[in-house]
Amino acid sequence: MAKKRSKKTPTMKTPSPRTSPRTTPGSSATVTKDRDKKTLMKIDELGEAIVKSSLAQRDPHVDIPMRTVSNTKFNKSKRILEMGSNAQRRNLFNLSMAKKFMQTVLLADGCKDLIEAGKTLSLRGMYYKSLHTIEGTNEKTFNDQSESDPVLEDLEVSLGALREELHVYARKAGTIAGNITLIDSGDEIDCRRMGSGGYSIPSICEPNIIQFKKCEAKFVLHVEKNTIWSRFNEDRFWQTHNCILTEGGGQPPRGVRRLLRRLHEELGLPIYCLLDCDPWGHYIYSVIKQGSINLAFESQRMAVPDAKFIGIRAEDYERCELSDDVKITLTDRDITRAKQIAEYPWFVDKKPWQREIKRMLANGFKMEVESLITKDISYVTETYVPQRLEERDFLD
Amino acid sequence: MSTLLAAPTKKPRTTMSKARKPTTSPPSRKTKTRRSKATAQTLAGQQREISVSEFFAKNRHLLGFDNPRKALLTTIKEAVDNAMDACEEGGILPDIFVQVLQLGETRFKVTVRDNGPGIVKQQIEHIFGKLLYGSKFHRLKMSRGQQGIGISAAGMYGLMTTGKPVLIISKPSKKKPAHEMRIKMDTSKNRAEVVSDEVHQEDDKLFPQGTGTQVEIELEGKYLKGRQSIDEYLEQTAIANPHAHITYVTPGNETRTFPRSVDELPDEPKEIKPHPKGIELGTLIQMLERTEAAKVGAFLQNDFCRVGPSKAKEICQTAGMTNMTWVKNVGHREAEALYKAIQEVKLTAPPTDCLVPIGSKALLAGLLKGVKAEFYTASTRPPAVYRGNPFQIEVGLAFGGELPAQETARVIRFANRVPLLYQQAECCSFKAVLDASWKNYELSQPKGSLPLGPLVVMIHMASVWVPFTSESKEAIADYDEIRKEMKLALQECGRKLGTYLRRRKRMQRESERRSIFERYIREVAKSCEKITGADAKKLYEALLRQAERRTAQADQQLDDEGRILNETARLAKDEQVVIVPAQQPDPANNGNEIGESLFENPPKPQRRKTTKRSRKKPRSPRRTAKRK
Ligand SMILES: Nc1ncnc2c1ncn2[C@@H]1O[C@H](COP(=O)(O)OP(=O)(O)OP(=O)(O)O)[C@@H](O)[C@H]1O
Ligand SMILES: [Mg+2]
């Protein structure tokens, strides 16, 4: 599943970005304070509830909204994924939950610390902050970070607080370049002058950290990975087509998604996605467009329901006369995944998408964006994308 | 004491069925195997009477003297059995001293001393110099010895292997000094030869209580530890005889003590007359020959139990005679008719008050002392009858603790409180253990094998006549009635073990659960304090209480029924838990003697235990121990 694959990507240790509120302009500082207050109150409520049931000799619990497909609803009018009302109760006095319960409380405590100190930590930092040996045993509070990450997500959903509000940021992955000038924590960032590497999108792209200063771009082209992004950047695509070029390293992290959303919402820029022709690519599109199942409760602030899917399309093998070398056989898992995606409520009654997935399955192979390079190094930047845009040939 | 002194007045007979067999058949068999031609005349010249002693000297394996190691053990066993019998008959709590002195590589001197009533001087030569001479054969009374072979056979073996006579020092009277006799057996005549006969002077040290007997036998033997050793025999003797105090000086000159753990003598077993259904035709004929009664009716009433005038009449009529038929006129045919009639007529079962079982209480005390386990249970069956002989079966189980977990269970067998160390596979009790379905009691049991696990199974048969498979008294013969009783007793104990094991499993699960909760509670309390400012200690205590409450269920059940004697052991996993299971709350089974009193008022001797076990905290009868 998508979730698993995203976990495989190792979390990078990131140098602490300059996200501390001290550099934010006065107005957003008070916003931050109010938000922090609200978050602290939520944590306090969680703690009080536990204390109350403990002292009353009741089994303490935390309700955690379920992050499963079955508990996510597609809001047709808003065209985004929303979290259902199903929650899982996490009890202390349940053998299979006791440790997770302890971890949840431990992380809540850690977040409170962070907020009060006005500091932020990465997921990994948070893991280390809460890591210690349990008194009187040789057991650690967490075995590894893969244990603390989901518990933090649990905490987010159960508090109804965003990760940013808890002063925790995700791994930073994602690049931007293009006709736009940003303010990041008070520093002006001219995305036209970012050289070959581009500007790396911060994990927190909330208005108190990132503001848009000047933008001439008319649209955003979001590509799946850094290799393709570099191709476009090297060809100065954003210059020739007056756009913004972003990349999210596979499934885009929250910072990237939040930025896309704000570019779309605040600057009215359409978002076009260039992703692989495989279930994973389709899933990334789905995440950008409707929100992820994991963080469905955040889609309101992240999803871009209007985002369009440019390619790669299953028909491209013939349309672009690609060689056999680009074919990557679909695995059994791919096939099941593809069928699952076809069943997603936001895909299920879209005939073009149904056709697309069917065709991919009929092909029996997948293709990466890079496959276009077999035709010509700049085929993708000079022919493929401009043609699609011109013909307005994309999936929605 | 009176019985003892009176007993030998009965004329010793060497022509009993067992003894007669060898005198008649072996010579005829021998003649058959001769290869050279022999005439009736030459053969007649070779015919000669064989004395019982001579026969057993040649067939000593029948008496348990097959090899040097076993011979040493059997010698001690015979002497100790006699010592215990004598003490009990004399109403004296046995205090027994055993010493094995190694004189050479294969030469040993065995000394066994008791504080019993002693033996009058005139009897000594018969007891020690004659096979098949004893006070116990011609009566039906529960005792260790029954054949009149034991000690004289040991003496005979000693004499044969070393040429040394048996030395007996006995003091039957508190006022008179002890006599000291050296006896040799003349095997060809089955008669004693008195080598020396003196007055023993310094006997104060030997018999501080005024009476007693010491037997000293020199013999060829071999001393080995382990299974079927003297040590094992004495250990098991101590288990089945918690009322005895045994001191053992090993060949290595170490002193091992088996202290007394029950201060009361078992009740004196009553002597009974044979039950008509329990005798064979041959015995009946012998009894007819020997009876003092003149008429058959009187014979039946006087020489048997459970035969009153009407039953005597009924038997006689069924046999085609009357009460008044003269005994001397009863020939073989009539005897056979009488035997058949006895089988047909309905008779009350023999009285069973002649049996004195060890009793579950004492049995548990013995097991507790001798086996370091965690769970003990015992059961005494009501008396039953085989072939007209009353008997009673008792079973004790010890489980867990320091017993080896990977091996098959150990069966320790007893007959009239005597450990049986040889011929396990032939023994009825061993077969009964195989028969029981231990899988029902939470133990694994490969097909046709003993159950696996840290288990000791003790089986005791008490009877006025234990049906041994041979004269060496090593295995109990396999009678259906006996096997059935054994199985029932095993099942009774097994069920309790099963209940305990199931409960123990649950308890382990619960305490594992608790420890998991306990581990995380402190973290939760600390974090909550930091979040809300609530007092972490108070929170911790509240949560801990809840954890205990939520995992306490199984404990409670154990407390209610299981009588944990050492409750703290539950938390520290490796420590022993000594549990005496309560009787099933089955109303029919109420008022059983097991358990309570034994452990609520631990018998005094337990306190003066010097074994390793006494280091452990005294098993407090009430579950007062609190978790630390
Ligand atoms: N230590 C003793 N104190 C008093 N009497 C003894 C002692 N040892 C033996 N006797 C008497 O000597 C008799 C013969 O003993 P022996 O061991 O030969 O035969 P048993 O005990 O009657 O039968 P078994 O052959 O089964 O042992 C006993 O019946 C008993 O009366
Ligand atoms: Mg004897």
Side-chain angles (χ1 to χ4, degrees):
Chain A
M1 296 278 287
K3 200 174 147 193
K4 275 186 195 146
R5 193 156 149 187
S6 72
K7 262 190 209 150
K8 260 187 233 155
T9 340
T11 317
M12 301 183 278
K13 250 196 199 158
T14 46
S16 186
R18 297 169 57 197
T19 48
S20 79
R22 89 195 133 79
T23 49
T24 52
S27 62
S28 47
T30 46
V31 172
T32 314
K33 263 200 180 147
D34 281 355
R35 241 178 37 171
D36 283 351
K37 238 191 200 159
K38 248 171 80 188
T39 316
L40 283 176
M41 252 169 63
K42 285 175 179 172
I43 295 176
D44 202 56
E45 272 166 35
L46 179 119
E48 285 293 351
I50 294 169
V51 169
K52 216 173 135 194
S53 28
S54 305
L55 294 179
Q57 291 291 310
R58 282 196 310 265
D59 190 357
H61 67 264
V62 177
D63 283 332
I64 293 155
M66 290 203 302
R67 286 169 289 141
T68 55
V69 190
S70 60
N71 193 39
T72 40
K73 287 198 195 82
F74 182 56
N75 184 322
K76 276 194 175 157
S77 61
K78 289 196 216 155
R79 293 186 298 156
I80 56 169
L81 266 179
E82 284 179 344
M83 187 166 286
S85 55
N86 290 345
Q88 201 187 9
R89 182 153 287 197
R90 180 168 292 168
N91 289 97
L92 171 58
F93 290 110
N94 176 313
L95 274 195
S96 55
M97 301 182 189
K99 186 167 191 183
K100 275 212 168 136
F101 182 92
M102 177 274 291
Q103 292 170 333
T104 314
V105 184
L106 201 64
L107 287 174
D109 169 30
C111 289
K112 185 182 158 146
D113 263 7
L114 280 183
I115 298 169
E116 280 175 350
K119 303 223 165 119
T120 53
L121 275 180
S122 64
L123 281 172
R124 187 161 187 81
M126 198 62 207
Y127 157 66
Y128 276 115
K129 178 170 168 37
S130 307
L131 180 67
H132 58 258
T133 304
I134 298 168
E135 204 183 303
T137 69
N138 46 19
E139 188 181 340
K140 296 221 162 95
T141 47
F142 295 97
N143 285 330
D144 52 42
Q145 195 193 335
S146 71
E147 220 175 86
S148 78
D149 287 359
V151 175
L152 195 84
E153 278 180 10
D154 291 344
L155 188 65
E156 288 169 42
V157 293
S158 66
L159 290 175
L162 297 174
R163 191 172 296 176
E164 299 74 51
E165 291 172 343
L166 294 172
H167 286 218
V168 178
Y169 56 89
R171 77 199 157 94
K172 200 175 59 172
T175 322
I176 185 170
N179 277 329
I180 188 167
T181 305
L182 311 169
I183 311 280
D184 179 350
S185 305
D187 297 337
E188 198 170 291
I189 310 293
D190 184 351
C191 296
R192 301 163 198 88
R193 308 163 65 95
M194 284 297 142
S196 61
Y199 183 65
S200 77
I201 301 170
S203 353
I204 301 182
C205 289
E206 295 306 311
N208 59 328
I209 296 183
I210 302 282
Q211 294 98 37
F212 304 132
K213 196 174 178 201
K214 186 165 159 251
C215 175
E216 294 99 31
K218 292 286 171 276
F219 67 94
V220 178
L221 179 68
H222 178 80
V223 301
E224 186 167 333
K225 300 165 277 213
N226 200 269
T227 48
I228 293 299
W229 186 90
S230 300
R231 193 86 289 291
F232 278 91
N233 191 38
E234 197 178 292
D235 288 353
R236 304 304 263 178
F237 182 86
W238 53 268
Q239 211 164 29
T240 49
H241 288 85
N242 188 22
C243 68
I244 295 168
L245 203 52
T246 58
E247 161 272 324
Q251 181 177 337
R254 304 146 67 101
V256 174
R257 287 170 56 203
R258 182 68 180 138
L259 186 69
L260 288 177
R261 162 75 181 231
R262 289 186 58 209
L263 288 170
H264 175 71
E265 203 176 45
E266 293 169 30
L267 304 178
L269 304 181
I271 313 284
Y272 301 105
C273 303
L274 181 65
L275 306 163
D276 291 346
C277 173
D278 62 14
W280 179 236
H282 298 165
Y283 181 75
I284 292 172
Y285 173 67
S286 153
V287 166
I288 292 172
K289 198 174 166 75
Q290 267 83 34
S292 77
I293 292 162
N294 248 351
L295 300 172
F297 78 110
E298 295 186 323
S299 20
Q300 219 149 353
R301 303 156 38 88
M302 304 249 220
V304 189
D306 282 327
K308 312 281 190 244
F309 181 86
I310 294 189
I312 302 292
R313 303 278 298 276
E315 63 191 286
D316 287 344
Y317 175 70
E318 279 121 34
R319 185 166 62 175
C320 308
E321 297 167 327
L322 299 176
S323 73
D324 273 359
D325 304 331
V326 305
K327 294 181 182 177
I328 304 169
T329 319
L330 284 170
T331 65
D332 289 349
R333 246 186 94 201
D334 289 333
I335 294 166
T336 27
R337 281 289 286 133
K339 285 179 181 161
Q340 276 170 5
I341 289 168
E343 293 301 314
Y344 282 177
W346 50 97
F347 282 147
V348 79
D349 20 73
K350 285 193 177 157
K351 291 223 172 81
W353 264 112
Q354 294 298 320
R355 269 197 305 263
E356 175 66 20
I357 294 171
K358 223 176 253 165
R359 177 135 190 194
M360 176 182 76
L361 290 172
N363 281 351
F365 58 84
K366 46 191 180 181
M367 291 176 288
E368 296 186 316
V369 180
E370 284 89 335
S371 63
L372 296 175
I373 291 168
T374 58
K375 282 201 71 103
D376 180 276
I377 288 203
S378 292
Y379 177 77
V380 65
T381 60
E382 285 167 6
T383 316
Y384 186 86
V385 173
Q387 228 170 51
R388 296 285 94 75
L389 288 173
E390 194 155 311
E391 294 167 13
R392 303 198 59 72
D393 172 17
F394 32 66
L395 293 174
D396 184 11
Chain B
M1 195 189 289
S2 53
T3 37
L4 236 143
L5 296 177
T9 55
K10 281 186 190 169
K11 268 175 228 146
R13 275 166 203 259
T14 51
T15 48
M16 294 300 299
S17 55
K18 280 192 185 82
R20 207 157 36 165
K21 221 186 301 164
T23 52
T24 54
S25 51
S28 56
R29 240 186 261 126
K30 238 182 232 168
T31 54
K32 268 181 205 157
T33 52
R34 282 275 160 98
R35 291 279 159 90
S36 58
K37 275 178 200 162
T39 62
Q41 280 72 27
T42 56
L43 284 178
Q46 289 160 10
Q47 304 287 15
R48 187 144 51 85
E49 198 186 337
I50 298 166
S51 96
V52 195
S53 337
E54 228 172 355
F55 173 75
F56 279 120
K58 277 196 172 157
N59 294 284
R60 56 194 190 206
H61 59 277
L62 293 179
L63 300 179
F65 296 89
D66 333 19
N67 60 58
R69 183 179 186 216
K70 201 170 161 187
L72 183 58
L73 173 70
T74 306
T75 302
I76 287 170
K77 181 172 163 345
E78 292 301 343
V80 171
D81 288 357
N82 284 352
M84 299 265 248
D85 271 350
C87 288
E88 283 169 24
E89 289 203 24
I92 299 161
L93 273 172
D95 227 319
I96 290 165
F97 172 85
V98 180
Q99 183 172 34
V100 180
L101 208 67
Q102 185 150 13
L103 303 174
E105 204 186 327
T106 57
R107 182 69 73 86
F108 292 88
K109 189 162 89 184
V110 169
T111 307
V112 174
R113 185 166 64 239
D114 62 57
N115 57 339
I119 309 169
V120 293
K121 197 177 154 194
Q122 304 86 285
Q123 290 304 329
I124 291 181
E125 57 182 291
H126 299 299
I127 290 173
F128 294 93
K130 217 171 193 169
L131 280 182
L132 296 168
Y133 185 94
S135 54
K136 305 165 194 168
F137 188 86
H138 301 277
R139 66 177 192 199
L140 278 176
K141 181 176 171 184
M142 187 185 149
S143 60
R144 293 170 184 78
Q146 56 188 29
Q147 298 169 151
I149 298 175
I151 198 63
S152 25
M156 181 175 82
Y157 176 82
L159 180 69
M160 275 164 34
T161 52
T162 68
K164 293 276 168 69
V166 184
L167 172 68
I168 303 108
I169 304 172
S170 191
K171 191 168 184 301
S173 163
K174 286 191 183 177
K175 294 179 197 111
K176 289 180 204 153
H179 37 265
E180 185 182 314
M181 288 179 101
R182 271 170 235 273
I183 305 282
K184 259 185 182 172
M185 177 189 276
D186 182 343
T187 47
S188 59
K189 297 195 188 97
N190 188 21
R191 249 181 40 199
E193 187 186 309
V194 180
V195 179
S196 71
D197 179 354
E198 294 155 26
V199 171
H200 183 82
Q201 286 304 346
E202 324 154 66
D203 47 36
D204 292 353
K205 283 177 227 139
L206 293 183
F207 310 111
Q209 291 170 31
T211 60
T213 304
Q214 172 175 303
V215 179
E216 218 175 88
I217 298 173
E218 217 176 298
L219 72 157
E220 284 284 302
K222 193 172 171 193
Y223 182 74
L224 284 173
K225 294 211 167 197
R227 286 285 157 96
Q228 302 175 326
S229 63
I230 296 165
D231 297 75
E232 190 187 43
Y233 164 75
L234 291 176
E235 276 159 21
Q236 294 189 12
T237 302
I239 290 174
N241 300 274
H243 63 287
H245 180 97
I246 304 171
T247 311
Y248 168 41
V249 182
T250 67
N253 205 23
E254 268 173 70
T255 305
R256 287 189 69 185
T257 347
F258 302 90
R260 180 173 295 128
S261 64
V262 169
D263 269 341
E264 273 167 46
L265 261 180
D267 291 340
E268 155 114 60
K270 282 191 194 128
E271 189 174 335
I272 60 163
K273 291 174 196 160
H275 189 272
K277 303 253 185 196
I279 53 161
E280 281 160 356
L281 179 56
T283 320
L284 180 69
I285 293 169
Q286 272 175 21
M287 286 176 77
L288 281 163
E289 279 170 11
R290 235 189 289 147
T291 184
E292 279 156 23
K295 313 261 172 74
V296 174
F299 161 69
L300 287 172
Q301 285 181 57
N302 294 347
D303 290 15
F304 290 98
C305 67
R306 296 305 195 212
V307 185
S310 64
K311 281 291 166 193
K313 211 168 145 195
E314 197 185 333
I315 294 172
C316 291
Q317 276 168 0
T318 316
M321 49 184 101
T322 72
N323 266 346
M324 302 316 267
T325 306
W326 292 100
V327 170
K328 63 173 193 265
N329 291 343
V330 176
H332 192 275
R333 195 159 7 100
E334 289 80 10
E336 222 175 313
L338 207 55
Y339 179 76
K340 264 193 197 151
I342 288 171
Q343 309 313 312
E344 280 167 37
V345 171
K346 268 203 171 163
L347 292 168
T348 326
T352 49
D353 55 356
C354 54
L355 297 172
V356 181
I358 301 171
S360 309
K361 185 175 141 184
L363 211 149
L364 281 172
L367 277 174
L368 264 169
K369 192 175 70 171
V371 182
K372 290 182 181 80
E374 147 190 347
F375 170 86
Y376 300 86
T377 180
S379 147
T380 302
R381 292 286 307 159
V385 175
Y386 81 92
R387 253 188 51 199
N389 294 312
F391 73 99
Q392 197 164 4
I393 298 297
E394 295 175 280
V395 164
L397 296 184
F399 182 89
E402 292 174 22
L403 296 173
Q406 310 302 330
E407 293 168 20
T408 53
R410 220 176 127 198
V411 182
I412 54 180
R413 304 167 290 129
F414 297 87
N416 285 350
R417 295 171 180 259
V418 177
L420 309 178
L421 301 186
Y422 283 92
Q423 295 197 27
Q424 169 167 275
E426 314 306 316
C427 190
C428 180
S429 48
F430 179 76
K431 292 175 190 166
V433 177
L434 289 184
D435 273 359
S437 40
W438 295 94
K439 277 185 186 141
N440 297 345
Y441 315 132
E442 306 288 306
L443 291 175
S444 64
Q445 182 182 21
K447 242 200 169 118
S449 143
L450 289 172
L452 294 173
L455 178 69
V456 170
V457 183
M458 167 179 177
I459 299 196
H460 178 228
M461 174 175 181
S463 181
V464 293
W465 187 264
V466 179
F468 287 112
T469 55
S470 83
E471 286 76 7
S472 56
K473 303 195 282 187
E474 288 163 343
I476 300 168
D478 194 3
Y479 282 93
D480 284 348
E481 296 91 335
I482 300 175
R483 178 103 77 107
K484 186 181 144 213
E485 282 299 315
M486 288 177 166
K487 267 174 81 176
L488 287 171
L490 285 167
Q491 280 166 1
E492 234 168 77
C493 288
R495 273 195 295 272
K496 287 176 202 161
L497 176 64
T499 310
Y500 169 72
L501 289 180
R502 274 187 291 274
R503 230 175 264 156
R504 192 178 73 160
K505 260 188 206 162
R506 195 165 60 216
M507 194 167 77
Q508 265 167 359
R509 265 202 312 267
E510 289 294 303
S511 75
E512 267 163 33
R513 277 182 59 190
R514 183 177 304 172
S515 75
I516 287 174
F517 294 144
E518 280 172 357
R519 217 176 303 160
Y520 301 139
I521 283 170
R522 197 181 295 277
E523 291 290 328
V524 170
K526 270 197 265 176
S527 290
C528 282
E529 182 185 59
K530 281 166 72 189
I531 294 172
T532 67
D535 181 21
K537 209 176 146 224
K538 230 171 90 190
L539 263 178
Y540 175 71
E541 278 159 12
L543 287 170
L544 197 64
R545 219 171 330 123
Q546 197 175 158
E548 274 165 23
R549 179 166 55 81
R550 286 180 188 277
T551 51
Q553 217 180 357
D555 304 347
Q556 263 161 22
Q557 279 167 356
L558 259 171
D559 284 352
D560 292 346
E561 291 180 54
R563 307 233 150 74
I564 299 182
L565 295 170
N566 186 357
E567 211 220 6
T568 42
R570 186 177 47 71
L571 284 180
K573 268 149 206 143
D574 288 338
E575 244 193 85
Q576 292 179 342
V577 181
V578 181
I579 284 182
V580 179
Q583 283 293 289
Q584 304 302 308
D586 175 353
N589 211 3
N590 262 348
N592 201 300
E593 73 277 43
I594 295 188
E596 273 142 303
S597 58
L598 176 61
F599 296 106
E600 275 169 12
N601 305 312
K604 278 163 248 149
Q606 263 194 347
R607 279 194 213 115
R608 50 173 153 96
K609 269 188 298 188
T610 51
T611 45
K612 273 178 238 154
R613 207 169 241 260
S614 57
R615 269 193 279 116
K616 294 259 153 70
K617 264 189 225 136
R619 280 173 290 273
S620 77
R622 282 284 156 230
R623 299 152 289 282
T624 45
K626 262 261 140 189
R627 203 165 304 99
K628 331 132 196 176

